């Protein structure tokens, strides 16, 4: 008894471990997770993040302009004995600190310009992330299309192989002519060619997807986490969301604000700046017995450019600003047009999917019916094979519709959700929402603590507000029906059952049980 309890407990532990492993690995290869892997791996993202760091350093440099500028100088002179201006020390040294008191708004404008350039760099990173996500979506949809076509043509090839065996048996029994075998062989070769083409497309699509992610992928594992995103919102709401968070639009707006700050800087150069300089000097060229001297200067400086160049610079900045405003409107038009086209395509694909599924169901019923009629002598082999070819063609069309639906729906998803968070794998449960708040960073970039200089600046300037992270969420729908539609081998099973049934009728001594397929007369 104790041994049985031990064995049951052991099996239960194994089952628990397997269930835990399935829960932990579920969704690891969903499309959102693949996009996250690509963003974490791809060199283009790393390059953009380094540009962000450079822009952040420029903000730090702009903040230091509020602080005193230290200066230290040493001068040594060799003058003639008759020069009355240099009868003292031959060497002098001076230490000074210059503090700007008023610069016409140039320092504030410089800091604002640097901050806007940091925003530009961050939004540029999001633009690169979005473009990479769209590449992954295209590659993923292409792979899915090739996977379904490979399954469809593989099933067609299998059915033709079964028919080849069947027709050879009928020829041996004198029930069919050799021309039937030639026809079946020809169709089998055609289905084999289609299958080979689908296999090549599948392998190429998989390699393309692996290149974007930087890792090897197993198609059998990859297909388990596939699903097509769905939206409950209407087109206008999706469009408003996309226009609100689009990184390209935000980048263009930040460029406009940066030009406004640059314009304030250029106007400030038309005014003199006022500063305070504190200096201590050691040594004196006029007297060799002088003690160190302390001085305080109130300085008025101007930095007029050559001629009227400052006015020309102001005019040039204004033209660049007008150009940036046109870019904003152009980006809005492109996003709105993209959302409208993708939404219309998504709705159209839904209708195509319904029609193709209905056609596929009907042609499968016709396929079985014609096979039964062929056995009864009322149909030819060509009719049976035509029905097989029509099924494979419809399944291939369905594969294209499913892949196109995945492309446009996921593209809509990327346009209406931010790409500044790591995505947790979604389950295939409908209307389930998941969240994550981890920031995206390339694994090779280490985040160090603040330095002493950073501590000083953070004390003098409140830390710049970081934009709140917005997570992606989705209404996930299962893809099991899609896969089952393509992988359903009911016709192959039907043929085998019919063969078994007919053999049973001809050889009753071997089998006294006759099987009639369920639901058929």
């Amino acid at each position: 008894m104790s041994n049985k309890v031990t064995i049951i407990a052991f099996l239960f532990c194994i089952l628990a471990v397997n269930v835990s492993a399935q829960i932990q690995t579920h969704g690891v290869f969903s499309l959102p997770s693949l996009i996250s892997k690509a963003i974490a791996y791809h060199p283009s993202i790393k390059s953009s993040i380094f540009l962000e760091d450079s822009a952040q350093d420029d903000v730090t440099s702009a903040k230091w302009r509020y602080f005193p500028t230290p200066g230290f100088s040493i001068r040594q002179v060799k003058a003639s004995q008759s020069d009355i201006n240099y009868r003292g020390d031959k060497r002098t040294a001076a230490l000074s600190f210059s503090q700007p008191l008023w610069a016409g708004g140039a320092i504030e404008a410089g800091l604002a310009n640097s901050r806007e350039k940091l925003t530009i760099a961050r939004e540029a990173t999001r633009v690169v992330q979005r473009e990479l996500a769209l590449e992954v979506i295209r590659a993923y949809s292409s792979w899915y299309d090739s996977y379904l076509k490979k399954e469809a043509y593989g099933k067609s090839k299998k059915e033709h192989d079964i028919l080849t065996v069947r027709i050879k048996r009928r020829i041996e029994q004198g029930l069919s002519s050799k021309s039937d075998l030639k026809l079946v062989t020809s169709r089998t070769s055609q289905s084999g060619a289609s299958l080979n083409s689908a296999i090549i497309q599948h392998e190429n699509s998989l390699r393309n997807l692996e290149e974007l992610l930087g890792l090897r992928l197993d198609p059998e594992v990859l297909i388990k986490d596939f699903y097509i995103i769905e939206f409950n919102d209407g087109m206008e709401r999706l469009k408003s969301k996309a226009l609100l968070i689009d990184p390209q639009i935000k980048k263009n707006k930040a460029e406009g604000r940066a030009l406004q700050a640059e314009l304030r800087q250029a106007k400030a150069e038309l005014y003199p700046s006022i500063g305070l300089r504190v200096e201590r000097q050691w040594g004196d060229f006029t007297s060799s017995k002088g003690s160190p001297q302390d001085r305080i200067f109130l300085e008025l400086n101007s930095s007029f450019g050559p001629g009227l160049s400052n006015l020309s610079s102001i005019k040039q900045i204004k033209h660049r600003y007008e150009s940036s405003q046109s870019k904003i409107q152009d980006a809005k038009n492109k996003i709105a047009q993209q959302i409208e086209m993708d939404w219309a395509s998504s709705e159209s694909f839904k209708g195509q999917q319904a029609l193709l599924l209905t056609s596929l169901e009907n042609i499968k019923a016709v396929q079985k019916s014609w096979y039964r009629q062929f056995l009864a002598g009322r149909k030819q082999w060509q009719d049976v094979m035509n029905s097989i070819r029509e099924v494979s063609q419809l399944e291939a069309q369905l594969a294209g519709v499913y892949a196109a639906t995945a492309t446009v729906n996921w593209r809509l998803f990327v346009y209406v959700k931010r790409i500044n968070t790591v995505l947790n794998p979604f389950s295939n449960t409908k209307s389930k929402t998941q969240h994550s708040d981890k920031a995206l960073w390339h694994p090779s970039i280490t985040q160090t603590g603040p330095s002493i200089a950073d501590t000083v600046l953070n004390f003098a300037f409140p830390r710049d507000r970081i934009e709140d992270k917005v997570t992606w969420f989705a209404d996930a729908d299962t893809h099991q029906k899609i896969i089952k539609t393509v992988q359903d081998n009911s016709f192959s099973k039907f043929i085998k059952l019919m063969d078994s049934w007919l053999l049973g009728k001809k050889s009753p001594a071997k089998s006294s049980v006759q099987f009639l397929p369920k639901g058929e007369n």
Side-chain angles (χ1 to χ4, degrees), residues 471-518:
T471 59
W472 290 8
F473 64 92
D475 294 327
D477 191 13
T478 179
H479 73 291
Q480 296 300 328
K481 292 182 180 179
I482 299 175
I483 300 300
K484 185 177 182 302
T485 299
V486 177
Q487 294 180 338
D488 184 13
N489 290 320
S490 58
F491 184 65
S492 300
K493 296 178 182 178
F494 175 79
I495 293 177
K496 292 180 180 179
L497 292 175
M498 290 297 293
D499 286 343
S500 301
W501 179 44
L502 291 176
L503 289 175
K505 292 178 66 177
K506 292 183 179 181
S507 304
K510 295 182 181 180
S511 175
S512 60
V513 179
Q514 296 183 4
F515 178 77
L516 184 65
K518 183 178 180 181

Side-chain angles (χ1 to χ4, degrees), residues 59 72 154 184 197 221 236 238 318 338 370 404 435 459-460 495 511:
V59 172
F72 181 73
V184 174
S197 176
V221 176
E236 293 301 326
L238 291 176
K318 287 181 178 180
Q338 186 68 56
W370 283 6
H435 300 276
F459 177 78
I495 293 177
S511 175

Side-chain angles (χ1 to χ4, degrees), residues 250-404:
K250 287 189 173 184
K251 179 174 176 286
N252 292 341
K253 288 182 177 180
E255 289 174 349
R257 294 192 298 269
L259 287 171
Q260 287 179 326
E262 187 177 343
L263 180 61
R264 293 196 299 271
Q265 278 184 294
K267 290 181 178 180
E269 290 181 358
L270 299 175
Y271 303 96
S273 61
I274 300 174
L276 184 69
R277 182 162 65 92
V278 179
E279 179 183 278
R280 183 175 180 84
Q281 178 178 318
W282 294 269
D284 193 338
F285 288 131
T286 61
S287 175
S288 59
K289 298 180 180 180
S291 58
Q293 302 294 323
D294 296 326
R295 305 181 182 94
I296 299 178
F297 298 89
L298 185 64
E299 299 177 329
L300 185 68
N301 298 315
S302 62
S303 56
F304 296 109
L308 300 176
S309 61
N310 282 357
L311 298 178
S312 298
S313 297
I314 291 173
K315 188 175 181 180
Q316 179 254 357
I317 294 171
K318 287 181 178 180
H319 288 156
R320 288 165 56 197
Y321 176 76
E322 294 299 329
S323 174
S324 69
Q325 298 307 297
S326 299
K327 287 183 179 179
I328 294 173
Q329 188 58 45
D330 181 58
K332 287 182 178 180
N333 293 339
K334 288 181 178 179
I335 291 297
Q337 183 182 17
Q338 186 68 56
I339 297 299
E340 291 174 356
M341 290 191 301
D342 285 346
W343 176 263
S345 298
S346 179
E347 293 297 309
S348 174
F349 291 141
K350 286 181 182 179
Q352 292 183 39
Q353 177 182 332
L355 293 174
L356 288 174
L357 286 174
T358 301
S359 299
L360 183 60
E361 182 180 356
N362 292 334
I363 194 61
K364 281 187 175 182
V366 170
Q367 185 184 47
K368 294 180 181 180
S369 175
W370 283 6
Y371 185 77
R372 289 194 303 269
Q373 293 183 52
F374 165 75
L375 295 177
R378 294 193 297 270
K379 289 290 182 181
Q380 300 296 323
W381 271 112
Q382 185 175 0
D383 297 325
V384 177
M385 286 182 293
N386 286 342
S387 65
I388 295 176
R389 182 168 59 181
E390 288 184 28
V391 169
S392 64
Q393 289 175 347
L394 281 174
E395 289 177 340
Q397 285 182 279
L398 266 174
V401 171
Y402 287 135

Side-chain angles (χ1 to χ4, degrees), residues 154-171:
K155 187 184 70 174
S156 176
K157 177 67 166 54
K158 182 178 178 181
E159 291 173 349
H160 279 90
D161 290 340
I162 294 174
L163 289 179
T164 301
V165 174
R166 175 65 181 166
I167 198 65
K168 288 180 179 179
R169 188 184 306 165
R170 290 179 61 87
I171 291 174

